Amino acid sequence: MSGKDEISARAAGFVACTICGKLHRILQNQLDIRYVRCVQCGAKLHSRKPHSLQRTWALLLTGILLYVPANIYPIMITRDLGRPEENTIISGIIALWNLDAYLVAGVIFVASVVVPIMKFLVILYLLLSVHRKSPLARKQKVRLYHITEFIGPWSMVDIFVMALLVALVNMGGIASVEPGMAAVAFAAMVGVTMLAIMVFDPRLLWDNER
Amino acid sequence: MDCRIPEHELIACPGCDLLHHTVVLPLGARAECRRCGYRLYTQKPQGIERPLALTLAAFVFFVLANTFPFIAIEIQGITREISVLSAAIELYHQGMPGLGILASAVIFVFPLLQLAGMLTVLVPLYTDRANITGCKTLRFVSILAPWSMMEIYLLGVLVSLVKLATYAHVTLGVAFWSFAALVITNTWITYSIDRHDLWRRLESLS
């Protein structure tokens, strides 16, 4: 395409495979292409990810709901000479801060609080702005989408830290660390929001251009 | 079927679906989508040889990281030594089997499958042989990519070591350095590959 004429693959009658990028020419009467697979890599072909908005909404809400028990229940239980001490994500961060471990407290705070909440807000914003005019240019929205896609998994850091402490501080009766229920909810939240980002189709942001 | 434009000269932007004509890029150049800025494809130097060499190196680091001791700590005269997978195994034994399995998948199984998959794709491309499974394997590797979390695990290791350093004497084992090298090599593989180029090479061979 040269000069100003911009045309999307869909408008030109093509469907690009979401996995390998191979272009397929689809005739108008073949619009129901749900059962067609990419001739190159075998992935299911779809011009836009199927039910993208509904699926993203469902997964986003699940993620937000899971984030509640993740913060209410303890993520780890520390035993020092038999005395159990339960820590939630937030109380763990505060305890680290009070011990002057600012760097560690900061890393956990960003990974477990800032990133998940930012992710919820970005997905919510993208969902709401698909059909609406919004102050951000679409190019910026796509950038937001890719940043969120990239940093999402980094929330898992707190789970790994907990697991490593469980494995390392297992000194029989003297001291031990046990995993708490919040870890399951938190890990599920990370997984579900990663899926929410994957099923969202950024191409929808560009479809209502004219 | 109406096929006036040959499809292989066109590329649709994965970010916004805009059609572009592909052009041959000079080495090291990058093609971005005119509309949304998505990185469409690049011209990497030694697009097969380099990722192949790095994948082989990553395999060596992977084996080392999973055979040697990872970290040892000493608290009040008691020493405890763990391997890379200990964190996941301990979760499994401490009443969280699901989380344990998930953790071992994202730090061990998925990365291993990815490295094996990359070799299956790259070796036939390097020797210029037709490869019927190449496309399916590369699809599998692409889907798996976001679920491989070794670099995040490494950050978790660093954070927990800083946390423990005040109470305990920490010794880093051979596996720790191998794992760090593995993470760096793995990231390097991602940057040495251009997916679009890899797919088109597979296409021309089959």
Side-chain angles (χ1 to χ4, degrees):
Chain A
M1 304 294 111
S2 59
K4 283 174 197 159
D5 72 294
E6 291 193 339
I7 185 163
S8 71
R10 171 139 88 175
F14 288 111
V15 172
C17 173
T18 20
I19 300 287
C20 72
K22 168 112 183 129
L23 282 175
H24 300 74
R25 186 171 275 281
I26 302 289
L27 297 174
Q28 282 302 310
N29 55 9
Q30 287 180 317
L31 274 181
D32 187 26
I33 53 161
R34 270 174 298 175
Y35 307 108
V36 180
R37 286 180 177 269
C38 173
V39 292
Q40 187 180 10
C41 74
K44 275 187 190 160
L45 271 187
H46 30 67
S47 180
R48 296 294 176 267
K49 292 176 189 170
H51 311 292
S52 172
L53 297 181
Q54 290 97 314
R55 286 180 185 177
T56 312
W57 269 115
L59 289 164
L60 171 67
L61 294 177
T62 314
I64 294 174
L65 286 177
L66 283 167
Y67 196 52
V68 175
N71 276 290
I72 291 175
Y73 291 105
I75 192 159
M76 63 180 162
I77 301 127
T78 320
R79 274 176 217 278
D80 195 358
L81 295 166
R83 280 178 293 112
E85 189 196 321
E86 293 188 342
N87 263 324
T88 62
I89 292 173
I90 299 289
S91 76
I93 295 168
I94 295 169
L96 280 171
W97 187 266
N98 290 336
L99 286 169
D100 296 340
Y102 303 120
L103 183 70
V104 176
V107 170
I108 305 278
F109 181 72
V110 170
S112 308
V113 181
V114 178
V115 167
I117 290 178
M118 203 206 86
K119 203 155 69 160
F120 295 149
L121 293 176
V122 168
I123 301 173
L124 194 64
Y125 175 71
L126 289 173
L127 280 170
L128 291 174
S129 70
V130 164
H131 295 301
R132 243 162 275 219
K133 285 205 165 181
S134 60
L136 275 187
R138 273 177 297 215
K139 202 168 172 172
Q140 254 111 41
K141 286 195 231 166
V142 172
R143 191 159 297 159
L144 262 184
Y145 173 81
H146 289 299
I147 291 171
T148 314
E149 188 180 34
F150 176 76
I151 60 169
W154 286 90
S155 296
M156 284 297 280
V157 132
D158 205 14
I159 301 293
F160 290 143
V161 170
M162 182 274 287
L164 282 156
L165 291 180
V166 168
L168 279 168
V169 189
N170 204 337
M171 299 284 175
I174 305 167
S176 75
V177 178
E178 288 162 28
M181 273 318 290
V184 176
F186 191 86
M189 183 279 290
V190 176
V192 162
T193 43
M194 279 172 72
L195 287 173
I197 279 285
M198 284 174 199
V199 299
F200 181 79
D201 197 330
R203 292 174 295 188
L204 293 173
L205 294 167
W206 303 86
D207 280 345
N208 309 316
E209 191 166 21
R210 287 182 195 100
Chain B
M1 225 187 255
D2 178 13
C3 286
R4 276 168 302 168
I5 320 159
E7 279 109 45
H8 59 270
E9 287 176 14
L10 291 170
I11 179 173
C13 171
C16 72
D17 211 31
L18 190 71
L19 273 184
H20 297 262
H21 276 297
T22 52
V23 287
V24 179
L25 294 175
L27 206 63
R30 185 169 76 204
E32 287 182 356
C33 172
R34 274 183 288 132
R35 190 161 69 169
C36 75
Y38 190 95
R39 294 171 186 189
L40 295 173
Y41 56 96
T42 50
Q43 193 63 49
K44 302 274 187 193
Q46 296 148 327
I48 300 296
E49 293 85 351
R50 199 170 285 187
L52 180 58
L54 288 166
T55 310
L56 290 171
F59 249 114
V60 175
F61 290 132
F62 192 93
V63 172
L64 291 177
N66 285 290
T67 43
F68 283 91
F70 191 39
I71 300 161
I73 68 161
E74 191 196 319
I75 305 177
Q76 295 164 3
I78 305 168
T79 308
R80 194 171 159 79
E81 195 182 85
I82 64 163
S83 67
V84 169
L85 264 178
S86 293
I89 294 165
E90 275 298 309
L91 282 180
Y92 189 89
H93 290 305
Q94 299 255 357
M96 297 209 167
L99 206 54
I101 290 168
L102 179 87
S104 44
V106 299
I107 63 174
F108 182 84
V109 183
F110 294 166
L112 181 61
L113 287 175
Q114 267 213 300
L115 289 177
M118 279 322 293
L119 274 190
T120 321
V121 172
L122 290 170
V123 169
L125 281 179
Y126 180 70
T127 54
D128 259 337
R129 251 176 300 174
N131 178 10
I132 36 163
T133 58
C135 289
K136 285 211 167 64
T137 315
L138 190 54
R139 168 159 72 103
F140 182 65
V141 169
S142 314
I143 294 169
L144 221 51
W147 304 100
S148 165
M149 303 189 180
M150 291 193 299
E151 66 282 17
I152 304 164
Y153 187 62
L154 185 63
L155 179 64
V157 171
L158 296 177
V159 168
S160 43
L161 289 185
V162 174
K163 243 176 152 174
L164 283 171
T166 43
Y167 313 101
H169 180 72
V170 176
T171 318
L172 302 173
V174 172
F176 175 83
W177 300 108
S178 309
F179 194 79
L182 172 60
V183 167
I184 294 168
T185 317
N186 210 39
T187 314
W188 196 355
I189 294 174
T190 317
Y191 285 99
S192 67
I193 287 173
D194 180 61
R195 287 203 182 274
H196 180 259
D197 174 56
L198 215 51
W199 279 115
R200 298 296 82 86
R201 281 174 196 254
L202 281 173
E203 192 176 12
S204 64
L205 271 185
S206 57

